[in-house]
Amino acid sequence: MRISIIGLGKLGAPMAAVMVHKGHTVIGVDVNPAYVAAIQDGQAPVNEPDLAAMIQANRQRLSATADCSAAVLATDATFIMVPTPSEADGGFSMKYVLSAAEKIGAALRNKPDWHLVVLSSTVMPGSTGGTLLPALEAHSGKKCGRDFGLCYNPEFIALGSVIRDMLNPDMILIGESDGRSGEILEKLYKGVCDSNPRIQRMNYVNAELTKLSVNTFVTTKISYANMLAQVCERLPGADADVVTSAIGCDSRIGQKYLKGALGYGGPCFPRDNVAFSALARATGAPALLAEATDQLNRRQVPRLAEIIRMRLPKGGTVGILGLSYKPHTEVTDESQGLDLAKYLSSTGIKVVVYDPAAMENAKRELGTAATYAVSAVECARQADVLVITTAWPEFKNLTPADLKPGERRPAIVDCWRVLPADLFANLSEYLRLGYGGTDTAAEADPADSSRSARLFSVGTD
């Protein structure tokens, strides 16, 4: 199939790579000349595991241009994968989608053949049929369902594993204008996916609502695990990892995203949860669960800051390991580690930070508010309290010899339990979120200044 993809960013470039990998011919379109040039040179325009190798291996079927009309005229289907930024009310802006629709429509006006248009960007329910479809018809002078097809087909992927997720999805979601359009898209994915996913075809609004609902449900699951972890921290002998491992065996619950640690971040989860709440308010329906999830998530950084403050000597330095919102990506959107660095530095606390991939993005956010270490070891050796906020695999290699020397051993707050507890417990105050130890006291809540007891006891399993 000949496919054009508008938007060569974090999702569009991997989609292009996957499609050419499976034998299709792809023309990428982007307004960023650097992205176009990268594709033309056989290079990856964005960082993502396996992306560069896949592009290089299939570059003969992949090209890029800034000319959207030419790309549409030369292909059978066009995927729109442009940003949909959050607006002040929590909803998603359609300005970039409508800009693409204008160009696609103009091309369709001059194209005699039937063409499939696929919107993959996350949008508010009602947007595909209520906003995009009329725009395409107006700019093309043609009728959807007769002269061209339109589908809503969002991706369910995670940065850092986009290629793998696109090849092995659990589900393909298709909101379709007509049966022909849905059939073509279903056939395309059956040839692309390795996992034989369930394909769900429905109308636009149900597909749009499904996309938001999936992410909102996942954020609720994450926040439940974090709530459970806080309870475990107050109970001697309680361990959130043990409890979540057990309850995850129940098929009604499942193991994924059930790990009490820090809050969720990234470019999708926070804003999709807020958007769902905005949608509910607009319809007059209560969204108490989604709103509570968002509130609990926003409490995670102040809670962690209080844990740190209680262990930090006067004039001491906090070391933060992990600034990307998750491992294997440089993306720092809504990163808990980055937000923690901002929070601490705003109160006058000295902060030193390190991340294997996100340092440049972090520098743009933090500026002079932090010191930047060149390695995890250098960060650890400067820290009076060392906090692991992202579970990068390389952090597992830290040893007690890497900690700051001196008579007073530094405290370690291991949010994701990546370090071997038996190596550190007797050499420093080693704290694992979600672990109650053997004689733990109640947690000090940032909202309750009277609770200044020691948060966790030091111990091992």
Side-chain angles (χ1 to χ4, degrees), residues 73-244:
L73 291 171
T75 55
D76 308 305
T78 299
F79 286 75
I80 302 173
M81 307 191 82
V82 298
T84 50
S86 296
E87 296 186 313
D89 64 355
F92 302 138
S93 170
M94 289 285 286
K95 62 180 179 179
Y96 298 120
V97 173
L98 292 178
S99 176
E102 180 179 354
K103 297 179 178 68
I104 294 169
L108 294 181
R109 183 179 289 272
N110 299 313
K111 185 175 184 177
D113 300 327
W114 189 90
H115 193 88
L116 176 61
V117 180
V118 182
L119 175 61
S120 293
S121 306
T122 302
V123 297
M124 297 298 289
S127 299
T128 305
T131 304
L132 176 57
L133 188 154
L136 288 170
E137 290 187 332
H139 291 295
S140 68
K142 295 186 175 182
K143 184 70 175 176
C144 180
R146 183 190 67 196
D147 305 312
F148 68 91
L150 175 62
C151 289
Y152 177 63
N153 170 230
E155 296 289 338
F156 295 93
I157 53 84
L159 297 183
S161 60
V162 176
I163 299 290
R164 184 191 67 199
D165 295 343
M166 285 184 171
L167 289 171
N168 299 281
D170 293 328
M171 170 183 67
I172 297 296
L173 180 63
I174 300 173
E176 60 192 46
S177 59
D178 58 277
R180 178 184 180 183
S181 299
E183 199 69 37
I184 290 172
L185 200 51
E186 178 174 349
K187 183 178 179 181
L188 173 65
Y189 279 112
K190 282 182 175 178
V192 167
C193 299
D194 296 330
S195 57
N196 190 29
R198 298 182 64 176
I199 296 179
Q200 302 293 300
R201 291 169 56 183
M202 56 195 72
N203 65 23
Y204 296 138
V205 70
N206 283 329
E208 292 162 333
L209 186 56
T210 298
K211 167 59 175 173
L212 277 187
S213 298
V214 166
N215 282 356
T216 302
F217 188 89
V218 172
T219 60
T220 303
K221 193 173 181 181
I222 293 169
S223 289
Y224 182 88
N226 289 338
M227 178 186 71
L228 177 61
Q230 291 181 53
V231 172
C232 288
E233 288 158 10
R234 298 167 181 258
L235 293 173
D239 189 329
D241 287 339
V242 173
V243 177
T244 55

Side-chain angles (χ1 to χ4, degrees), residues 289-456:
L289 185 58
E291 291 170 358
T293 296
D294 181 63
Q295 291 171 10
L296 196 154
N297 199 61
R298 294 180 188 279
R299 283 177 53 86
Q300 296 306 305
V301 166
R303 153 179 140 80
L304 183 56
E306 182 66 10
I307 292 172
I308 294 164
R309 185 193 64 76
M310 292 173 62
R311 284 156 180 80
L312 188 67
K314 186 175 181 180
T317 297
V318 176
I320 298 176
L321 292 177
L323 301 169
S324 58
Y325 85 97
K326 59 172 289 185
H328 309 297
T329 180
E330 78 278 13
V331 175
T332 57
D333 295 13
E334 303 282 349
S335 158
Q336 295 281 295
L338 188 64
D339 285 351
L340 177 66
K342 292 178 181 178
Y343 189 97
L344 293 174
S345 63
S346 71
T347 64
I349 293 174
K350 292 184 290 186
V351 176
V352 56
V353 300
Y354 173 73
D355 187 280
M359 293 297 274
E360 291 306 314
N361 288 340
K363 287 177 182 178
R364 283 191 285 270
E365 292 279 338
L366 292 173
T368 59
T371 300
Y372 302 93
V374 299
S375 68
V377 171
E378 182 184 293
C379 183
R381 286 181 176 163
Q382 297 180 47
D384 296 287
V385 178
L386 182 66
V387 191
I388 300 177
T389 51
T390 310
W392 279 96
E394 74 172 64
F395 297 159
K396 297 179 182 179
N397 298 325
L398 287 172
T399 70
D402 298 324
L403 300 179
K404 184 176 182 179
E407 184 176 341
R408 185 188 186 279
R409 302 299 289 168
I412 300 173
V413 183
D414 191 353
C415 300
W416 293 95
R417 284 81 79 190
V418 302
L419 298 177
D422 56 341
L423 288 182
F424 289 88
N426 296 323
L427 299 174
S428 62
E429 187 176 11
Y430 175 66
L431 314 172
R432 293 179 290 162
L433 295 190
Y435 180 64
T438 56
D439 60 347
T440 188
E443 176 190 355
D445 191 317
D448 184 356
S449 59
S450 67
R451 308 192 96 163
S452 58
R454 187 172 181 270
L455 303 191
F456 314 95

